[in-house]
């Protein structure tokens, strides 16, 4: 395994990092409230950051998501890249790629995903029905990728949903409740035999049955890895703020950072953050190399969930009374860390799934 970024990956990370650092400031985040920073999203797309994922792969995306997480930038970057660009590039037909990728690159098309929900939506002759209680960035999305009862991924235009009800989460992710009632869907990778462009005429051909379920599992693994990378950045940002604060805040005539208890708490948070990062890198590397990444994705997600929760709690705790201030920048890291913990499935759920893989002997 070699996690050393390529020149293209490093260049994409540096550019994304500069844009996030310049525009996702404390003042702008405060002004954005619970919504998306549309100017930041436009800047990222104008710089070609989402489109770069096609060249840099999932590892490149993880590197860029770390930069987003450091500043908790409020844009649908992770969702649109993993459920849109990566999913369409890997599993879409030639027609779907030609039609969808240009909009995904320039940001006019935004895709989110109703994952890891399974079985909440059923399909019948290309019409989808069901309810997903909350989907991140749904209020910003033009399309949503949903798995049917078999796990096969379907692309649905949000304007075709029966309802998109706003949902407020722990973190400001512009989430919504998705209600489908016979909405036309386009199965990702399905051959459009009826020629109407909706992908519903493929029956159980390409993208259907077991192949569709495999595509859904691949998308889910990529999502877990990507959001674990985002959590690595959230934790790194929280820890950096704690280090800065404890280095200047004095107690009993000396900086807090000189107290052994503070040092040990920060050291544990550093090790947890590194564990999240290295497991996300390994899983992304396996994914990009075409190796089975299911177990590695679950491992990365577990570390991001369990360790991420510890790190953002430590970051807030090390700020003392300031950490209880809802307007303090470190509080955003706390909110994002807890939201990512919930979105990834929480540690016990992920361990149960990982245990099933071990019991079946399917873990690489």
């Amino acid at each position: 395994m070699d996690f050393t970024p390529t020149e293209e990956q490093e260049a994409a990370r540096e550019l994304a990092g500069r844009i996030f650092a310049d525009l996702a400031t404390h003042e702008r985040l405060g002004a954005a409230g619970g919504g998306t920073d549309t100017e930041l999203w436009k800047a990222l797309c104008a710089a070609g950051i989402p489109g770069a994922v096609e060249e840099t792969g999932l590892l490149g995306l993880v590197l860029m998501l770390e930069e987003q997480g450091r500043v908790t930038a409020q844009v649908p970057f992770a969702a649109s890249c993993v459920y849109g660009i990566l999913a369409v590039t890997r599993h879409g037909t030639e027609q779907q790629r030609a039609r969808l990728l240009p909009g995904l690159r320039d940001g006019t098309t935004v895709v989110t995903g109703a994952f890891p929900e399974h079985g909440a939506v059923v399909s019948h002759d290309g019409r989808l029905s069901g309810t997903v209680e909350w989907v991140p960035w749904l209020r910003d999305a033009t399309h949503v990728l949903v798995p049917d009862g078999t796990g096969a991924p379907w692309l649905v235009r949000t304007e075709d949903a029966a309802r998109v009800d706003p949902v407020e989460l722990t973190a400001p992710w512009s989430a919504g409740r998705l209600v489908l009632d016979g909405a036309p869907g386009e199965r990702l990778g399905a051959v459009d035999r009826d020629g109407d462009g909706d992908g519903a005429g493929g029956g159980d051909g390409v993208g259907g049955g077991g192949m569709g379920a495999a595509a859904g599992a691949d998308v889910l693994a990529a999502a877990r890895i990507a959001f674990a990378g985002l959590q690595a950045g959230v934790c790194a940002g929280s820890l950096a703020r704690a280090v800065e604060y404890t280095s200047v805040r004095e107690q009993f005539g000396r900086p807090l950072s000189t107290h052994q208890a503070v040092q040990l708490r920060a050291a544990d948070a550093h090790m947890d953050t590194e564990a999240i990062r290295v497991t996300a890198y390994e899983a992304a590397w396996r994914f990009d190399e075409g190796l089975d990444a299911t177990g590695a994705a679950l491992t990365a997600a577990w570390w991001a969930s369990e360790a991420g929760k510890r790190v953002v709690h430590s970051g807030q705790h090390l700020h003392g009374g300031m950490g209880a201030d809802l307007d303090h920048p470190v509080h955003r890291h706390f909110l994002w860390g807890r939201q990512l913990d919930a979105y990834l499935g929480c540690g016990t759920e992920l361990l149960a799934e990982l245990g099933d893989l071990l019991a079946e002997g399917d873990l690489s």
Side-chain angles (χ1 to χ4, degrees), residues 252-310:
F252 305 121
R254 58 187 178 128
L256 284 173
S257 59
T258 63
H259 294 269
Q260 188 178 46
V262 173
Q263 293 172 354
L264 292 174
R265 188 75 183 268
D268 285 342
H270 171 73
M271 295 304 296
D272 274 338
T273 301
E274 289 303 298
I276 299 169
R277 177 180 288 117
V278 74
T279 52
Y281 284 7
E282 179 190 1
W285 175 83
R286 292 187 64 85
F287 187 89
D288 288 340
E289 291 295 312
L291 303 172
D292 181 12
T294 305
L298 281 167
T299 302
W302 181 83
W303 273 104
S305 174
E306 285 292 296
K309 187 164 45 183
R310 290 196 296 266

Side-chain angles (χ1 to χ4, degrees), residues 11 114 127 131 155 216 291:
R127 297 280 174 170
T131 300
L155 204 58
L291 303 172

Side-chain angles (χ1 to χ4, degrees), residues 294-343:
T294 305
L298 281 167
T299 302
W302 181 83
W303 273 104
S305 174
E306 285 292 296
K309 187 164 45 183
R310 290 196 296 266
V311 172
V312 296
H313 274 264
S314 294
Q316 193 161 13
H317 188 196
L318 289 173
H319 277 75
M322 293 298 295
D325 183 355
L326 300 185
D327 294 324
H328 195 283
V330 78
H331 190 66
R332 291 196 186 92
H333 293 271
F334 175 77
L335 297 178
W336 278 62
R338 291 312 308 257
Q339 187 63 64
L340 283 162
D341 166 40
Y343 186 61

Side-chain angles (χ1 to χ4, degrees), residues 36-118:
T36 294
D37 187 336
T38 56
E39 293 304 313
L40 173 56
W41 182 239
K42 290 177 182 177
L44 288 168
C45 295
I49 297 299
V53 176
E54 295 174 72
E55 300 297 327
T56 63
L58 183 54
L59 181 55
L61 175 59
V62 165
L63 294 171
M64 290 186 280
L65 287 173
E66 277 192 81
E67 301 303 322
Q68 178 186 3
R70 288 180 199 277
V71 293
T72 60
Q74 292 173 200
V75 287
F77 181 49
S80 198
C81 285
V82 76
Y83 296 122
I85 288 178
L86 277 179
V88 172
T89 300
R90 286 175 66 89
H91 302 292
T93 63
E94 184 177 346
Q95 180 193 56
Q96 288 171 332
R97 290 194 295 270
R99 178 163 43 85
L100 295 169
L101 285 176
L104 286 165
R105 293 180 190 124
D106 65 22
T108 55
T109 298
V110 175
V111 179
T112 188
F115 286 75
E117 292 285 346
H118 186 77

Side-chain angles (χ1 to χ4, degrees), residues 336-357:
W336 278 62
R338 291 312 308 257
Q339 187 63 64
L340 283 162
D341 166 40
Y343 186 61
L344 287 165
C346 299
T348 52
E349 296 178 22
L350 294 165
L351 276 185
E353 193 171 341
L354 194 56
D356 291 339
L357 276 180

